[in-house]
Amino acid sequence: MNQAREWIREARAIAVLTGAGISAESGVPTFRGPGGLWRQYSPEQLATPEAFARDPRLVWEWYDWRRCKVAGARPNAGHLALAALEEAKPRFTLITQNVDGLHDRAGSRSIIKLHGDLWTVRCTACARERRDERVPLPELPPRCECGALLRPGVVWFGEPLPAGPWEEAQRAVREADVLLVVGTSAVVYPAAGLVPLAAACGARVIECNLEETPFSAEVDKSFRGRAGELLPQLIAS
Ligand code: BV8
Ligand code: ZN
């Protein structure tokens, strides 16, 4: 732990990649862990344009359930540690796969959302996008003023990541001295590709995860444990 703490202390530029695991201690179910299922569906079955086209109401019931879960959750010590690290490091970029908005509520500022945001809705016809934080939503599926269906402002499987954030994330990782990877199973691409990219560009890669991931054996340091416990220790100066 001391070696990793040293790398973080000495780093001029830090990039962080987070996944659902960092929100687990806030009571938000992860995608592939226990409790991640809703009714009898897996996220891969519902987080797709096909599922939405087939049954927009079912997909919205799942998102509304998640929105209610997240609204009742609070950022945990892991989120707060990353917000504190950002204060200490002038060149700091937080890249998240999460759509729950808990990093924003923890006070993080430079957040790159690779997979969108649970709290924005977008019209499927006129593409009008806006924030809607009502829980629960008054009607499912919600409709736009133009009459068309609204969809969650997230990236579904088979959809491309937003070009701007994706470019920014790659640049931040290329320039980082340290990449901190927290709470992700590192199986979803292209986001997971940021890990080998960092290593290829000479960054030290430190992983904090409850379970082993495909990258655990090749990163510079891989800590097994909860983000809410590991991160405060790692950023302690
Ligand atoms: C694209 C938003 C192309 C929606 C999400 C076959 C092989 C390789 C790739 C593919 C393939 N088939 C298809 C693909 C591509 C696909 C993909 O990667 N699939 C995977 C499943 C194989 N990717 C895509 O489709 C992407 N788009 O490729 O487009 C394209 C290009 C141009 C033009 C057209 C198309 C889009 C991917 C984005 C999908 N959207 N979310 C929503 O949230 O509803 S992804 C979803 O998974 C979430 O965002 C989530 O964040 C993400 C990754 O999951 P994790 O965050 O890692 O969560 P997970 O539960 O898996 O793991 C949690 C970890 O935390 C665990 O390891 C656990 O041990 C740990 N943990 C638990 N508690 C704690 C903890 N750690 C620390 N502390 C704790 N307390
Ligand atoms: Zn519309």
Side-chain angles (χ1 to χ4, degrees):
M1 175 66 86
N2 284 335
Q3 175 66 82
R5 229 203 309 266
E6 188 68 27
W7 289 335
I8 289 171
R9 211 182 5 258
E10 284 164 6
R12 290 183 326 285
I14 291 189
V16 182
L17 173 66
T18 61
I22 197 167
S23 297
E25 291 156 85
S26 299
V28 179
T30 61
F31 267 72
R32 294 166 188 84
L37 290 185
W38 174 77
R39 295 187 193 162
Q40 71 282 14
Y41 301 99
S42 81
E44 270 82 10
Q45 290 171 291
L46 294 174
T48 69
E50 294 74 24
F52 184 73
R54 189 173 48 249
D55 191 342
R57 181 187 174 80
L58 176 72
V59 172
W60 263 114
E61 283 175 1
W62 177 49
Y63 278 97
D64 200 44
W65 175 76
R66 289 173 65 192
R67 287 161 51 105
C68 292
K69 279 295 268 175
V70 171
R74 276 198 322 281
N76 64 60
H79 297 106
L80 295 170
L82 294 181
L85 185 57
E86 179 174 10
E87 289 307 305
K89 291 284 171 186
R91 291 178 61 200
F92 177 95
T93 307
L94 173 57
I95 303 159
T96 188
Q97 301 171 85
N98 300 341
V99 297
D100 57 31
L102 287 176
H103 284 304
D104 306 73
R105 288 169 52 192
S108 290
R109 288 200 313 282
S110 77
I111 307 172
I112 297 178
K113 296 178 180 175
L114 293 181
H115 296 157
D117 189 323
L118 205 50
W119 302 108
T120 55
V121 292
R122 187 166 69 237
C123 179
T124 54
C126 72
R128 189 177 302 154
E129 183 161 295
R130 66 168 184 275
R131 283 188 76 71
D132 183 335
E133 300 184 1
R134 293 174 296 171
V135 284
L137 283 167
E139 60 152 350
L140 295 178
R143 289 196 174 275
C144 175
E145 290 80 10
C146 79
L149 280 176
L150 290 172
R151 61 164 283 175
V154 301
V155 178
W156 279 329
F157 288 102
E159 294 186 321
L161 271 56
W166 177 234
E167 283 311 312
E168 257 184 83
Q170 291 175 92
R171 188 177 336 108
V173 161
R174 282 204 188 89
E175 292 167 2
D177 303 311
V178 166
L179 173 70
L180 194 46
V181 187
V182 185
T184 182
S185 58
V187 296
V188 172
Y189 281 81
L194 294 172
V195 180
L197 175 64
C201 295
R204 294 281 189 193
V205 183
I206 302 166
E207 180 185 53
C208 295
N209 209 61
L210 208 52
E211 298 153 338
E212 203 144 296
T213 73
F215 294 119
S216 297
E218 58 191 78
V219 297
D220 295 278
K221 283 274 180 209
S222 181
F223 297 103
R224 222 33 82 248
R226 299 187 183 297
E229 287 150 27
L230 288 170
L231 288 179
Q233 292 174 47
L234 267 177
I235 70 154
S237 47

